[in-house]
């Protein structure tokens, strides 16, 4: 595969140029099909990096992922500060669009998991209109009762989609598919919380210029003022970076 994996603050992060993403996706699909295994593509922010350092289950999830794609500018600055190869940062929604475009051009299949019924119907329609050659082989709303989960797993297993796009309403997020990976075959799982909200126009996309400058956190704070307290984990992140720079060997 045409990507490099670095060890950033003990957490795996992949370096994958955008022009290589399509080939990477197809290689993962072929590998999954041949080996009859499921896999994951995970988006990580600096908050996810910090979480993985204290949550072994999530750390294992990232270590087993086919791709771990950084979405925070602070990860790039941190890698540079530690004199590591600097990853390529992706806008998660644009990355989802790129992935769906690759699947559409190769007549692959998609399963939608998450959100609520009405939103899910809008998402399915908009995805069909945008990617006409992409077969949607099933959908299931999120926020379901625990006793319904076996039906969800069975439905995904039978449909055996190329990609399962997971959005809001799945409490375990990336770890949902990781913890159940032995119950699936030949599917890539991608979790992005805002995916269905954006597809249904219920959630506004972050402005491209704002994202490029790394200012998307300010948009999040405007939506949820409590996120101002993220300043404290950011300070911890800075301290960890300095400690690694001074004492850690790479």
């Amino acid at each position: 595969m045409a990507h490099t994996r670095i060890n950033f603050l003990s957490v795996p992060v992949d370096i994958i140029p955008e022009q290589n993403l399509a080939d990477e996706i197809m290689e993962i699909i072929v590998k999954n099909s041949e080996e009859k295994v499921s896999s994951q593509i995970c988006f990580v922010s600096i908050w996810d990096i910090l979480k993985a350092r204290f949550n072994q289950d999530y750390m294992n999830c990232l270590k087993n992922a086919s791709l771990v794609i950084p979405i925070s500018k602070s990860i790039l600055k941190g890698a540079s500060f530690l004199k590591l190869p600097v990853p390529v940062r992706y806008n998660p929604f644009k990355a989802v669009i790129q992935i769906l475009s690759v699947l559409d051009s190769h007549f692959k299949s998609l399963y939608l998991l998450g959100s609520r019924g009405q939103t899910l119907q809008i998402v399915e329609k908009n995805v069909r209109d945008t990617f006409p050659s992409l077969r949607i082989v099933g959908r299931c709303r999120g926020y379901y009762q625990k006793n319904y989960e076996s039906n969800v797993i069975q439905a995904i297993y039978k449909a055996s989609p190329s990609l399962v796009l997971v959005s809001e309403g799945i409490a375990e997020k990336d770890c949902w598919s990781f913890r159940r990976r032995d119950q699936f075959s030949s599917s890539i799982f991608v979790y992005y919380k805002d995916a269905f909200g954006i597809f249904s126009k219920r959630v506004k996309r972050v402005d491209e210029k704002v994202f490029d400058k790394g200012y998307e956190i300010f948009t999040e704070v405007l939506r949820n003022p409590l996120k101002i307290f993220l300043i404290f984990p950011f300070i911890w992140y800075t301290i960890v970076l300095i400690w690694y720079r001074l004492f850690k060997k790479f």
Side-chain angles (χ1 to χ4, degrees):
M1 290 191 178
H3 73 269
T4 303
R5 177 160 291 190
I6 62 172
N7 191 24
F8 178 67
L9 302 183
S10 301
V11 180
V13 173
D14 290 319
I15 303 174
I16 172 169
E18 284 198 38
Q19 65 268 24
N20 294 346
L21 183 61
D23 289 340
E24 288 278 352
I25 299 303
M26 291 311 300
E27 283 188 40
I28 295 170
I29 289 174
V30 170
K31 180 176 181 290
N32 287 357
S33 180
E34 291 176 348
E35 299 181 9
K36 301 298 181 185
V37 295
S38 63
S39 60
Q40 281 183 274
I41 296 173
C42 298
F43 299 118
V44 290
S45 65
I46 59 168
W47 322 120
D48 296 316
I49 296 292
L50 294 175
K51 174 185 173 182
R53 288 171 51 80
F54 293 98
N55 184 323
Q56 191 58 51
D57 195 35
Y58 183 50
M59 177 71 88
N60 290 336
C61 171
L62 296 182
K63 286 181 176 179
N64 282 275
S66 295
L67 289 176
V68 180
I69 299 176
I71 62 173
S72 292
K73 199 164 190 176
S74 295
I75 295 177
L76 278 59
K77 291 181 178 179
S80 177
F81 178 74
L82 296 177
K83 302 185 183 304
L84 292 168
V86 178
V88 176
R89 176 179 177 236
Y90 282 73
N91 179 320
F93 187 71
K94 281 185 66 177
V96 167
I97 294 297
Q98 285 179 270
I99 293 169
L100 294 179
S101 296
V102 172
L103 299 179
D104 181 61
S105 65
H106 289 83
F107 304 95
K108 297 299 182 180
S109 56
L110 172 68
Y111 193 101
L112 302 170
L113 175 61
S115 199
R116 300 191 186 277
Q118 187 174 3
T119 296
L120 198 54
Q121 289 179 11
I122 296 171
V123 170
E124 181 175 359
K125 179 184 182 304
N126 289 342
V127 170
R128 286 188 190 278
D129 290 345
T130 308
F131 305 100
S133 298
L134 180 61
R135 293 181 296 113
I136 299 180
V137 293
R139 71 179 192 216
C140 179
R141 61 179 178 80
Y143 306 101
Y144 53 76
Q145 296 295 321
K146 186 67 177 177
N147 59 9
Y148 186 72
E149 183 170 275
S150 60
N151 295 330
V152 177
I153 293 171
Q154 188 69 10
I156 295 173
Y157 176 80
K158 287 182 176 180
S160 192
S162 306
L163 176 75
V164 181
L165 183 57
V166 186
S167 192
E168 59 185 313
I170 305 300
E172 296 172 62
K173 304 178 181 178
D174 285 298
C175 287
W176 186 85
S177 58
F178 173 68
R179 291 167 181 155
R180 297 157 181 80
R181 60 193 181 281
D182 294 335
Q183 300 181 61
F184 302 115
S185 65
S186 307
S187 298
I188 302 173
F189 287 80
V190 175
Y191 171 80
Y192 177 44
K193 179 183 177 182
D194 289 337
F196 293 177
I198 296 173
F199 271 125
S200 64
K201 303 187 186 302
R202 186 172 48 81
V203 174
K204 186 178 180 182
R205 289 180 59 183
V206 175
D207 182 87
E208 204 65 40
K209 292 180 180 178
V210 172
F211 183 84
D212 289 343
K213 292 178 180 178
Y215 293 163
E216 67 274 11
I217 183 61
F218 300 115
T219 303
E220 293 182 33
V221 169
L222 287 175
R223 282 167 37 182
N224 181 1
L226 290 177
K227 288 198 173 184
I228 192 67
F229 293 107
L230 288 174
I231 187 65
F232 297 111
F234 185 79
I235 292 171
W236 175 245
Y237 169 74
T238 305
I239 292 170
V240 173
L241 276 176
I242 294 171
W243 187 87
Y244 266 70
R245 174 71 179 266
L246 293 176
F247 303 111
K248 204 75 170 169
K249 292 182 179 180
F250 304 99

